[in-house]
Every structure is written in structure tokens, then in C-alpha cells.
Amino acid sequence: MTEEQKRVITKMRLDGHSFAEIEGVLGISRNTIRKHCQRHPVDSNTFHCLYCKVAIPTVHGRKQPKFCSARCRKAWWKEHPDAGNRKAYYTIICAGCGREFQSYGKADRKYCSHECYIRDRFKGNASDE
């Protein structure tokens, strides 16, 4: 890798370009670019989005950002649903069908699904008359 290519990599990373975009411009392997960036970080106060790897500037006195936008945050969590530390699971017995189900975050749920709610609430009462 030439010194000119190293300068282009540094400039493009500061501008927020991904490894794939740099690879397309320079014709160098993505892994070579990644290794160069690991060995020569562009800015110690810059963090990168977990999803798209774009550089995110930090604000002094604030928490380190993990995502550059809400779109990236939602997409990352959609791809990594079990990455969170979820503790609020409740085991409940459905008032409609009597089956046991897991509820996250709501201990006062009564039904396992909307179908059970409709069946128990409306159709059950009509047959009692």
C-alpha cells in the first residue's frame, strides 16, 4: 500500500465512508483497509455506528453513542434480538385458552393473543345467553 493510498483511506474514513466504499475507489482488499484503520485510528474521540460503521462524533460529557441514527439502531436490534439483557419475563396463564405463556415487560397481561381475547371476551359471552 502506497503512502497516497493511506492518505486517501484516512480522508475517506474521516468523511464517514465504509470499508466497502474505500475498496471500490482504491481497489485494495477490504481486510487490508480494515487492518490499516485498526493500526492507525483516525480519531480517538470518534466512535463508529454498530450497524453501518460510520464515524460518530462525540460530545464531551455525554454517553458514548452506539448508533448514528434511529434507523441504524432499529436495524441492528432487529438483526440481534438476543443481544439485550432482558430480565422482565413473566409466566402467565391465559384467561382465554388456559395455556401458559411468557410475557415480556407486562406482568398484568391476561391473554396470550388477540384471538384469545376476542374469543373469551365476545364469543364466550354470546354463547352463555
Side-chain angles (χ1 to χ4, degrees):
M1 182 178 338
T2 66
E3 290 300 318
E4 179 61 28
Q5 288 173 328
K6 291 177 184 178
R7 279 193 291 276
V8 170
I9 290 171
T10 302
K11 183 179 181 332
M12 288 183 78
R13 287 302 287 168
L14 284 172
D15 291 341
H17 293 281
S18 68
F19 296 134
E21 292 170 334
I22 298 170
E23 176 187 25
V25 170
L26 296 178
I28 300 173
S29 163
R30 189 178 308 174
N31 287 332
T32 304
I33 296 166
R34 185 176 291 128
K35 270 298 186 198
H36 173 75
C37 291
Q38 285 176 349
R39 290 180 183 148
H40 307 285
V42 287
D43 188 4
S44 60
N45 289 334
T46 302
F47 295 97
H48 298 279
C49 176
L50 287 177
Y51 186 69
C52 67
K53 308 299 184 213
V54 169
I56 308 168
T58 59
V59 178
H60 182 69
R62 295 244 177 150
K63 189 170 92 169
Q64 168 186 332
K66 293 183 181 181
F67 304 100
C68 63
S69 66
R71 183 185 310 158
C72 283
R73 177 178 44 83
K74 289 176 185 177
W76 190 88
W77 280 108
K78 189 172 185 177
E79 290 179 8
H80 303 86
D82 48 334
N85 188 11
R86 297 184 172 207
K87 296 179 182 177
Y89 280 106
Y90 301 98
T91 303
I92 303 167
I93 297 178
C94 179
C97 63
R99 287 184 293 178
E100 193 174 89
F101 69 97
Q102 293 270 323
S103 172
Y104 178 72
K106 283 190 91 172
D108 60 341
R109 272 184 70 181
K110 295 180 183 177
Y111 301 99
C112 63
S113 65
H114 185 69
E115 290 78 24
C116 275
Y117 164 72
I118 296 296
R119 191 177 330 121
D120 187 52
R121 180 91 162 102
F122 299 107
K123 293 180 182 170
N125 289 343
S127 64
D128 290 342
E129 293 176 4

